Amino acid sequence: MNYPEKSKVTIKDVANACGVSTQTISRVINNRVDVSPATREKILAVIEQMGYQPSALARGMRQKSRILGVIVTGLKYKGISTTLNGIVKAAEQFGMSIILKELAVFGVKDTQPVIQSLVAHQVQGIIYAAPEVGENWFTVQENINTQSLPMVFLKGNPSSAPLTISIDNYYGAYLITSHLIEQGYQRIAHITGLTSWWEAKERKRGWHQAIIDNGLELDDRACVEGNWSSDMGLKAFETLLAQYPEMDAVFAANDQTALAVLHGAWKKGISVPNQLGVCGYDNLSESRFFTPELTTIHQDFHRLGELAVRKLLKLISPERQDEEVEDNSIIIKPELIIRSSTQKKVTE
């Protein structure tokens, strides 16, 4: 089929090529659910073949939109939901609006409909606020045309995308493991998060390196995989008790897992912190109300969200002065919060 030149393709051309109405094309562009999967697939294929860009509708407008797109997955996780809150607050501060698109799972293979929908809404840039899990960042980038809008990726490996803002999980894990060693703990176990997550891998790597650097023995039995939940955290702790009973501290990859460890230790009559040091990661607002209060790592997710908005605004308007977001890879250092769960009582 002969299509018009790409620069002249209109929504009517796409509709005629597909044999549907322009309203149906609009529904697909806007990611509406009232279109059959087969029709949607056909329309998206024709849009790609014809090179139709919905954002072309806005080219004649005198004033650019003040809208940013945000793609997110896993809002049940504190870090992701808090980052989104930071994005929204920063956008409001700079007079921008947000259009939010949530993917059902981290491993969505075709994100093109979501991206097309944001383009159709004339967003000026996109924040991919879902952490790097498996190949999800690479999948998203495969769905982005090289001429499309700027996109900033949050919470992943700086080498996995052109523009990234992340928190230094390796540094945080190294910091808290070193703290345990300074407190006199020698056999430190680790319950990871889901190891398909880049953040979980980095926390494990930091724990591993701190033990080596301090001349302690790294026991193969000392590491068990969790999944960020308290339920799995308790099972992982019970596994550690069975296979590594000589451990004297547990570094849990997040506070929810650490809460399960505290509960499991209490059930077993294990004194924390005298017999077992326990620390987490994330600094949940509830962590200071655990018994004992939980040593943890604080990550400034609000700042992560704010920097993402500022980075996009800098990309949209290069003349904008904002030295803090000049780099294409920005790493935020986390903070160690020391509480009683790792402070042994001194006996005279």
Side-chain angles (χ1 to χ4, degrees), residues 130-323:
E132 185 178 0
V133 178
E135 300 294 316
N136 67 327
W137 277 23
F138 296 102
T139 300
V140 171
Q141 290 174 81
E142 287 174 355
N143 283 270
I144 303 173
N145 186 283
T146 55
Q147 302 300 316
S148 69
L149 299 171
M151 180 178 287
V152 177
F153 289 77
L154 305 186
K155 295 163 66 67
N157 191 335
S159 66
S160 295
L163 302 171
T164 64
I165 306 176
S166 302
I167 296 176
D168 196 335
N169 288 268
Y170 170 84
Y171 171 80
Y174 191 99
L175 192 64
I176 204 165
T177 305
S178 297
H179 161 72
L180 287 170
I181 295 169
E182 289 169 1
Q183 294 299 304
Y185 298 104
Q186 298 288 303
R187 297 174 295 279
I188 303 167
H190 179 45
I191 300 175
T192 74
L194 285 166
T195 51
S196 58
W197 291 48
W198 176 80
E199 294 169 302
K201 293 175 184 176
E202 287 294 283
R203 292 174 197 179
K204 180 180 178 181
R205 189 168 70 90
W207 159 80
H208 181 281
Q209 194 61 47
I211 288 177
I212 291 176
D213 287 351
N214 283 277
L216 300 181
E217 181 183 355
L218 187 64
D219 196 304
D220 291 340
R221 301 170 298 159
C223 187
V224 176
E225 183 174 359
N227 68 354
W228 309 115
S229 74
S230 295
D231 285 342
M232 184 58 73
L234 182 58
K235 293 176 182 177
F237 178 58
E238 291 171 346
T239 298
L240 283 172
L241 287 173
Q243 71 184 30
Y244 190 44
E246 58 268 45
M247 68 180 172
D248 60 3
V250 177
F251 163 38
N254 66 333
D255 286 356
Q256 286 179 293
T257 299
L259 174 60
V261 174
L262 288 175
H263 177 70
W266 173 78
K267 286 179 66 176
K268 296 288 186 180
I270 300 171
S271 174
V272 177
N274 291 331
Q275 292 178 275
L276 185 74
V278 179
C279 57
Y281 207 106
D282 283 341
N283 194 28
L284 291 179
S285 57
E286 299 85 1
S287 62
R288 65 190 180 94
F289 298 107
F290 291 177
T291 303
E293 295 181 5
L294 184 67
T295 291
T296 185
I297 291 289
H298 175 70
Q299 303 180 92
D300 196 341
F301 293 118
H302 282 96
R303 178 166 172 73
L304 183 70
E306 176 198 340
L307 289 174
V309 171
R310 287 165 56 189
K311 181 63 179 179
L312 267 190
L313 293 179
K314 174 68 175 175
L315 293 168
I316 294 164
S317 303
E319 71 280 3
R320 186 185 187 90
Q321 297 299 312
D322 194 343
E323 292 184 2

